Amino acid sequence: MAAEGGGKEMNEIKSQFSTREGAYKLLTHSEYSRPNRVPFNSQGSNPVRVSFVNVNDQSGNGERICFNVGRELYFYIYKGVRKAADLSKPIDKRIYKGTQPTCHDFNHLTATAESVSLLVGFSAGQVQLIDPIKKETSKLFNEEGLLSSQNQANSPSGTVV
């Protein structure tokens, strides 16, 4: 049945709409996972970051998703936007004290169904290498927080001294 004036169906699913809170747009997977996308930040809360990796496992559920909320870091099997992940059963969940994850990314070249390298950056300057499938913590870099963007900005050559 056509709606008056527009000639479109009344049951049409909209891909974008506006409300008084803001504009909403349905994103494709590639748009959503783009690393330079502006992060969500709602009135003073910490931004949520999302990383994806494909591990090419035999079950057909090869994609994995990692995201952080405040001081917590979660790792799940990702089944796409149409099927929700079981949020009660993460593959790995970590809660950090004293610092919080601010960024993370997978090593896509070495990812397998048995092992995934995830590099996590923290608010105090540390960088940690973890494997959320094996639930292992490999290395912690810059543990004392000696390297920071301020040190690099103040250095005349742009290198850390």
Side-chain angles (χ1 to χ4, degrees):
M1 171 184 246
E4 284 187 28
K8 293 185 179 180
E9 288 188 31
M10 293 180 68
N11 294 332
E12 177 184 352
I13 297 175
K14 295 183 179 185
S15 62
Q16 60 186 21
F17 59 92
S18 296
T19 66
R20 63 181 171 190
E21 292 87 12
Y24 296 86
K25 178 183 175 189
L26 181 63
L27 298 177
T28 64
H29 176 68
S30 61
E31 289 174 318
Y32 184 77
S33 61
R34 194 174 72 226
N36 60 355
R37 187 172 56 90
V38 177
F40 171 76
N41 195 356
S42 76
Q43 286 108 19
S45 71
N46 299 311
V48 174
R49 306 283 189 216
V50 179
S51 298
F52 291 94
V53 66
N54 192 333
V55 296
N56 292 324
D57 69 355
Q58 301 300 327
S59 70
N61 291 328
E63 283 200 289
R64 303 294 185 261
I65 183 172
C66 177
F67 62 91
N68 65 290
V69 179
R71 298 185 185 283
E72 299 175 357
L73 186 71
Y74 297 94
F75 182 71
Y76 289 95
I77 293 174
Y78 181 70
K79 298 178 182 178
V81 294
R82 301 268 185 230
K83 295 181 182 179
D86 184 359
L87 297 180
S88 66
K89 297 178 184 176
I91 295 173
D92 192 19
K93 174 185 175 185
R94 296 168 188 246
I95 302 173
Y96 296 94
K97 297 179 181 176
T99 188
Q100 62 190 29
T102 57
C103 58
H104 43 78
D105 200 8
F106 291 102
N107 183 342
H108 296 270
L109 300 175
T110 62
T112 66
E114 296 81 31
S115 178
V116 173
S117 295
L118 177 67
L119 205 57
V120 183
F122 295 92
S123 56
Q126 304 95 335
V127 177
Q128 187 175 43
L129 180 62
I130 64 174
D131 187 330
I133 293 177
K134 292 181 177 179
K135 296 180 174 53
E136 292 179 353
T137 302
S138 299
K139 295 185 180 185
L140 183 64
F141 302 97
N142 195 32
E143 190 170 0
E144 296 81 26
L146 299 175
L147 302 178
S148 71
S149 60
Q150 282 185 329
N151 292 347
Q152 291 176 352
N154 294 334
S155 174
S157 64
T159 58
V160 178
V161 289

